[in-house]
Amino acid sequence: SNVSTVGRSANMDTGERDFLNTPPMKTVRFGGRVTDMLDKQQRGDSTDYELLKHQLTDPDIKRLPWAERSQAVVDEYMSFLSNLVTAQTVFLCICVRMVVSHFTPKRVTICEEGVDISDSDDEDENLPRTFERCHQALQLISKYVPSTSRFLLPILQENFPFIQKSSRTLECYIHNLLRVTVYLPVIRRDVLELIIGKLLKLDVSASRADIEEAEENVTDSQRTEDLMEEGLFDMDEDTPPEHLPSSTLMAHPEAEKLDALMSVLMAYIKDVCHINGCLHVDQTKDVYRDLLSVFDKVILTTHASCHVQYLLFYLCSFRLALAEAFLDHLWKILQNLSQPAVLRQAAAGYLGSFLARAKFVPVHTVRACLDLLLSWIHGYIHNQDGSGSPVCCDISLHGPFYAACQAAFYTLVFRHRALLEADMRKGLEFLQGLNLERVVMCQLNPLKVCLPAVTNLFAAVTRKYQVAFCYTIIERNNRHMLPVVRSSTGGDRVSANTNPLDSFFPFDPYLLKRSGQLIEPLYQKWEELCDTEDDEDDFLREETPKTECIMGMTPSSLDSNLQSPSSVGSPRTGFHRPF
């Protein structure tokens, strides 16, 4: 055409124009077709060609909004990009950066009470088409320049929106990053690490206690009103916000954002691992390896995350071999003396929590893991007893041992019924074979260090089936109080009712509602200890909580509700809602 609009004012993107404050649109008048100008330049008439060069070097001219144009313009632009990066690879990063800049909705400025608020345009119905064209362009560039993937990751990192941005913006960007990994799988591990690292920051900023408090305090009407104001009815394009049930929305803003992003990642994991509804074993193994690498680098090293680790939990539910591989991986970390003690303790926490909570882990796997754990624990006790040195309760020296004990106790609390229900006689023989009495009676005294909620319930279970008798030891521990005990994180602590082991149960109940719908059928909830008719166990029936109100064991979610027994010669009346 004779007139081509190369740039436009920022305010024009909104469809409105402030005449006094907005300068005229920047346009370039060529006076003819580009091909005609090039022909004239070859014949010696360079007037129009020089004009075009001058106009295109003007810094005030914006890039062509190619992704929103007709298909003919898009095709020409794709061809231009291909020729440019092939002939001049120096422009590769510029072109890739331009494509990635379209991975989020364009920005609009909204004036609220005299204040300009800039955020993504949530009403752009052309976003799916724009994203599709961006991925076509990126695939085309990578086809002609195979090294594109090496330069792409830093650009994806640079352009990642701040975690405080709207859920819509983050969801779009993460969706597009994951889509890139489908045609450039070589960067999938790095992309997952980038995304999960960002989600972990969001996860730890929304503590379990804060989420629970927000859910308790907000009414349905307040929840709907607040989330509409925050713009957090997000990117389920098939379900308009007004049709989204308020019961599926989180009252806590960060939790609501995290819920949407976890839903995107879980959908990605499912789609990549399945073809036509059937599990693709090789692809699933590849995803598992990538996710396990990310687990080791950023998830295992993060204390007190509540939800992001469930990505691996969800993936392991696809196939028993994955769950067993994950357990084996954790077991190797726990045993590895070259690993830092804090990571070995974290691995023990993951091991016990996974065994306790993963409903898809069968009883024979639980039994095999308990055999391994208790064999290692007995070996540790034997080595300490034979060392010739005084044995004392020192977490800085024996942290992995105590973490392993707590993992075993925790697993037995949750899975003892499954271990016994198929064959009570064989189940009792198995429990007796674990020689739990020796563990609780040893000089290292694990009952003194383990979390009181775990200790109390473990004592109740073992007393019920007469495989260990813990209450005398618990009473003695409470009577003497804990001495100054060095914590695994450094420094001294003096207390009898804290969390000296820095206990962390990573698979405490999942609180996010929408993504939690995928977790719920896979999850082993706490079951009451009330399946006996024996009178002496009435306290279990009466005082074990009926629901998982404070649903986890991790102390941050129950500090104000947890009390150590003051006298436990006989079972103490009242567990203080540890689940």
Side-chain angles (χ1 to χ4, degrees):
S1 64
N2 289 333
V3 179
S4 174
T5 302
V6 177
R8 56 167 72 175
S9 146
N11 286 338
M12 289 300 294
D13 288 343
T14 67
E16 299 178 357
R17 181 172 174 180
D18 182 345
F19 185 82
L20 294 176
N21 298 318
T22 305
M25 232 174 12
K26 189 83 174 183
T27 58
V28 179
R29 300 183 181 276
F30 295 147
R33 296 174 61 85
V34 174
T35 52
D36 295 338
M37 281 185 271
L38 294 176
D39 288 340
K40 289 170 66 178
Q41 196 265 344
Q42 287 183 341
R43 293 196 299 268
D45 183 0
S46 60
T47 304
D48 291 341
Y49 178 73
E50 291 299 327
L51 174 62
L52 175 61
K53 283 173 55 181
H54 174 74
Q55 295 285 5
L56 292 178
T57 55
D58 187 339
D60 292 333
I61 295 178
K62 290 189 174 183
R63 291 191 183 109
L64 174 73
W66 62 276
E68 303 165 14
R69 294 297 189 88
S70 66
Q71 189 60 47
V73 173
V74 171
D75 291 342
E76 288 295 329
Y77 193 79
M78 296 273 196
S79 177
F80 165 71
L81 285 179
S82 303
N83 291 328
L84 182 61
V85 298
T86 303
Q88 296 288 337
T89 54
V90 69
F91 292 111
L92 174 63
C93 288
I94 296 174
C95 292
V96 171
R97 192 171 285 110
M98 178 276 301
V99 173
V100 172
S101 70
H102 289 80
F103 278 4
T104 53
K106 63 185 178 182
R107 304 192 64 76
V108 295
T109 301
I110 303 170
C111 184
E112 291 187 2
E113 299 180 356
V115 178
D116 286 343
I117 300 174
S118 178
D119 207 343
S120 62
D121 181 3
D122 291 342
E123 306 301 326
D124 189 349
E125 297 179 355
N126 297 320
L127 273 182
R129 186 184 65 179
T130 298
F131 293 157
E132 177 67 29
R133 289 172 169 178
C134 288
H135 289 290
Q136 290 174 359
L138 202 52
Q139 285 179 269
L140 199 60
I141 292 172
S142 62
K143 174 183 176 182
Y144 288 107
V145 185
S147 62
T148 297
S149 58
R150 285 176 32 218
F151 301 94
L152 178 58
L153 191 69
I155 293 172
L156 297 179
Q157 292 171 329
E158 293 168 12
N159 284 269
F160 205 107
F162 291 116
I163 208 68
Q164 292 83 9
K165 293 293 184 182
S166 71
S167 179
R168 171 78 162 178
T169 297
L170 289 166
E171 200 170 349
C172 287
Y173 194 77
I174 288 175
H175 171 85
N176 284 311
L177 260 59
L178 293 172
R179 187 169 175 184
V180 170
T181 68
V182 175
Y183 53 85
L184 290 177
V186 68
I187 67 169
R188 179 171 58 203
R189 182 172 299 183
D190 293 324
V191 167
L192 286 172
E193 182 180 341
L194 171 62
I195 294 171
I196 289 173
K198 299 291 185 181
L199 263 60
L200 279 170
K201 293 180 180 178
L202 192 61
D203 197 4
V204 297
S205 70
S207 71
R208 181 175 297 276
D210 289 344
I211 294 173
E212 290 171 342
E213 182 180 1
E215 287 298 318
E216 290 173 2
N217 292 340
V218 73
T219 65
D220 283 350
S221 59
Q222 288 174 324
R223 178 184 292 119
T224 303
E225 179 181 350
D226 291 345
L227 291 176
M228 288 183 70
E229 290 178 356
E230 299 250 353
L232 295 178
F233 282 113
D234 300 312
M235 194 181 162
D236 187 348
E237 292 164 354
D238 296 326
T239 307
E242 60 271 17
H243 297 152
L244 193 63
S246 61
S247 59
T248 66
L249 300 174
M250 301 299 300
H252 193 290
E254 278 73 28
E256 170 63 21
K257 190 182 298 183
L258 183 62
D259 195 6
L261 301 180
M262 288 291 290
S263 297
V264 172
L265 276 163
M266 288 183 183
Y268 167 79
I269 290 171
K270 182 179 180 181
D271 288 348
V272 171
C273 294
H274 292 80
I275 297 178
N276 298 325
C278 297
L279 187 71
H280 191 287
V281 175
D282 290 337
Q283 288 184 192
T284 303
K285 287 180 180 177
D286 290 340
V287 174
Y288 170 77
R289 292 188 190 101
D290 290 341
L291 205 52
L292 190 66
S293 174
V294 177
F295 172 82
D296 287 343
K297 291 180 71 173
V298 297
I299 299 179
L300 184 62
T301 57
T302 300
H303 185 71
S305 61
C306 299
H307 301 98
V308 173
Q309 56 265 27
Y310 271 92
L311 295 171
L312 203 50
F313 185 98
Y314 178 61
L315 175 62
C316 287
S317 72
F318 292 172
R319 189 178 176 88
L320 177 58
L322 297 177
E324 292 180 340
F326 182 50
L327 289 166
D328 182 63
H329 181 74
L330 295 169
W331 172 239
K332 288 176 179 176
I333 295 174
L334 172 60
Q335 292 184 94
N336 190 348
L337 297 178
S338 65
Q339 290 278 11
V342 67
L343 287 185
R344 296 174 66 197
Q345 290 173 221
Y350 270 93
L351 182 65
S353 196
F354 191 82
L355 285 171
R357 296 296 199 169
K359 192 183 290 186
F360 49 86
V361 174
V363 173
H364 67 82
T365 301
V366 176
R367 187 182 294 114
C369 289
L370 284 172
D371 267 332
L372 287 173
L373 264 177
L374 269 298
S375 295
W376 185 86
I377 289 169
H378 284 298
Y380 194 96
I381 294 170
H382 177 77
N383 291 337
Q384 292 299 310
D385 290 344
S387 66
S389 302
V391 178
C392 61
C393 182
D394 191 335
I395 296 173
S396 66
L397 293 177
H398 309 295
F401 166 78
Y402 292 120
C405 289
Q406 182 160 270
F409 298 165
Y410 187 73
T411 301
L412 283 166
V413 164
F414 273 86
R415 302 302 293 267
H416 71 275
R417 186 175 284 108
L419 290 167
L420 295 167
E421 64 184 2
D423 189 320
M424 178 66 77
R425 183 180 62 81
K426 289 184 177 180
L428 285 173
E429 287 177 358
F430 171 75
L431 292 182
Q432 290 164 355
L434 296 177
N435 197 3
L436 297 170
E437 186 77 7
R438 181 182 182 228
V439 176
V440 300
M441 296 289 291
C442 74
Q443 295 182 64
L444 290 168
N445 195 357
L447 294 181
K448 191 178 207 177
V449 173
C450 293
L451 198 67
V454 176
T455 299
N456 288 338
L457 289 167
F458 174 72
V461 170
T462 54
R463 178 177 181 269
K464 176 179 179 180
Y465 298 106
Q466 299 185 359
V467 292
F469 299 93
C470 306
Y471 289 107
T472 301
I473 299 169
I474 295 173
E475 180 182 12
R476 185 183 66 211
N477 289 340
N478 285 305
R479 191 166 57 239
H480 289 93
M481 302 290 287
L482 273 176
V484 175
V485 179
R486 278 181 285 167
S487 167
S488 58
T489 56
D492 294 339
R493 293 183 179 179
V494 185
S495 69
N497 179 33
T498 57
N499 180 27
L501 195 57
D502 303 307
S503 300
F504 169 49
F505 300 92
F507 298 114
D508 270 357
Y510 194 89
L511 302 181
L512 307 180
K513 295 182 179 178
R514 275 173 284 167
S515 53
Q517 293 173 13
L518 294 174
I519 300 300
E520 194 275 335
L522 311 172
Y523 192 74
Q524 177 65 51
K525 295 182 179 179
W526 168 245
E527 296 176 353
E528 304 166 43
L529 302 176
C530 60
D531 58 350
T532 177
E533 298 300 324
D534 197 20
D535 289 341
E536 69 180 11
D537 285 326
D538 282 349
F539 77 102
L540 294 171
R541 184 183 302 108
E542 293 171 2
E543 299 181 22
T544 301
K546 303 299 181 185
T547 62
E548 295 198 5
C549 297
I550 300 177
M551 298 174 286
M553 276 281 194
T554 300
S556 61
S557 67
L558 54 97
D559 280 339
S560 61
N561 298 277
L562 184 63
Q563 299 178 12
S564 290
S566 56
S567 176
V568 204
S570 59
R572 182 171 188 265
T573 55
F575 294 118
H576 287 260
R577 303 204 311 169
F579 294 96

